[in-house]
């Protein structure tokens, strides 16, 4: 799977376009010198925790934390997003923390796993509603972007591609159509 196919798959899974997809295809061009200004270590820990809540580890596959998606998301937002999309994303992380504080009187990082799950489910519903009702030209909901980056980062990471998906490092001949057996893992790359 190449970068274009991965973006198409993520856009298909999310039911829309991926923010910054043009930058992904032509290559990221912005300097990483502004990385520290956008994301503190605590923000990266928050990204890892939200990603782990979206894709928790199971007995058969590692969770998002093993793929260190916080650093991946930081790099993608810093190097590939336009400044307006970066602001939407970072403001969204602030909104997420404020909503957690208002609802549970705790930071998202300090919530119990069940609270994190319920919080993310509600946030996902809010983002889907926003995406349906938004006017053309309005930015995506920050959670939509965060979820897209989580899926892209996880399924293109080594732990996601080799442990969550079926992976064959030396595939041999190309077989364009394979029957799918219900309950089995999808193929990586």
């Amino acid at each position: 799977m190449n970068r274009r196919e991965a973006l198409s798959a993520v856009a298909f899974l999310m039911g829309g376009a991926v923010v910054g997809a043009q930058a992904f295809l032509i290559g990221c061009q912005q300097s990483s010198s502004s990385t520290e200004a956008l994301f503190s270590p605590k923000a990266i820990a928050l990204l890892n925790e939200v990603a782990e809540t979206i894709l928790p580890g199971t007995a058969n596959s590692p969770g998002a934390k093993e793929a260190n998606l916080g650093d991946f998301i930081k790099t993608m937002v810093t190097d590939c997003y336009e400044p307006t999309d970066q602001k939407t994303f970072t403001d969204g992380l602030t909104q997420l923390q404020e909503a957690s504080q208002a609802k549970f009187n705790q930071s998202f990082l300090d919530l119990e796993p069940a609270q994190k799950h319920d919080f993310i489910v509600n946030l996902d519903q809010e983002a889907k509603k926003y995406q349906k009702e938004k006017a053309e030209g309005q930015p995506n909901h920050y959670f939509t972007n965060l979820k897209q980056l989580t899926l892209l980062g996880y399924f293109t990471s080594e732990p996601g591609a080799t442990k969550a998906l079926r992976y064959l490092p030396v595939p041999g001949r190309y077989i364009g159509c394979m029957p799918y057996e219900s309950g089995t893992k999808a193929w990586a790359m």
Side-chain angles (χ1 to χ4, degrees):
M1 178 180 293
N2 63 30
R3 196 179 334 182
R4 186 176 302 272
E5 292 168 339
L7 286 172
S8 295
V10 169
F12 177 76
L13 287 173
M14 298 302 296
V18 175
V19 170
Q22 184 67 22
F24 299 152
L25 296 174
I26 62 173
C28 300
Q29 300 172 350
Q30 296 181 351
S31 164
S32 62
S33 63
S34 60
T35 300
E36 298 306 319
L38 284 177
F39 294 98
S40 67
K42 192 171 183 177
I44 294 170
L46 174 63
L47 290 171
N48 273 322
E49 204 60 43
V50 172
E52 180 72 18
T53 305
I54 294 170
L55 291 172
T58 67
N60 299 324
S61 62
K65 274 187 185 174
E66 189 170 321
N68 194 18
L69 292 184
D71 277 336
F72 171 81
I73 293 169
K74 172 196 74 175
T75 301
M76 294 302 285
V77 171
T78 302
D79 292 351
C80 300
Y81 276 25
E82 295 293 327
T84 55
D85 293 328
Q86 290 175 345
K87 182 168 179 10
T88 299
F89 192 89
T90 55
D91 288 351
L93 289 181
T94 302
Q95 290 172 21
L96 186 148
Q97 283 288 49
E98 290 172 354
S100 174
Q101 196 68 38
K103 186 170 183 175
F104 299 106
N105 202 25
Q106 286 182 309
S107 164
F108 183 82
L109 293 169
D110 299 328
L111 298 179
E112 295 296 321
Q115 291 174 315
K116 290 176 184 173
H117 175 269
D118 293 345
F119 185 84
I120 292 299
V121 167
N122 288 336
L123 191 56
D124 190 39
Q125 291 170 347
E126 174 189 313
K128 286 178 181 171
K129 182 179 178 195
Y130 173 86
Q131 291 299 118
K132 281 184 180 176
E133 297 172 354
K134 78 173 186 167
E136 186 161 332
Q138 282 188 310
N140 281 343
H141 192 280
Y142 72 92
F143 186 74
T144 301
N145 295 340
L146 177 55
K147 191 173 172 183
Q148 289 174 346
L149 289 173
T150 298
L151 294 174
L152 176 66
Y154 183 75
F155 289 111
T156 57
S157 72
E158 183 177 344
T162 61
K163 295 177 184 170
L165 300 174
R166 288 191 281 179
Y167 178 72
L168 189 57
V170 182
R173 70 183 173 99
Y174 175 74
I175 303 172
C177 186
M178 292 286 295
Y180 175 73
E181 296 173 28
S182 182
T184 60
K185 294 179 180 179
W187 283 97
M189 317 218 184

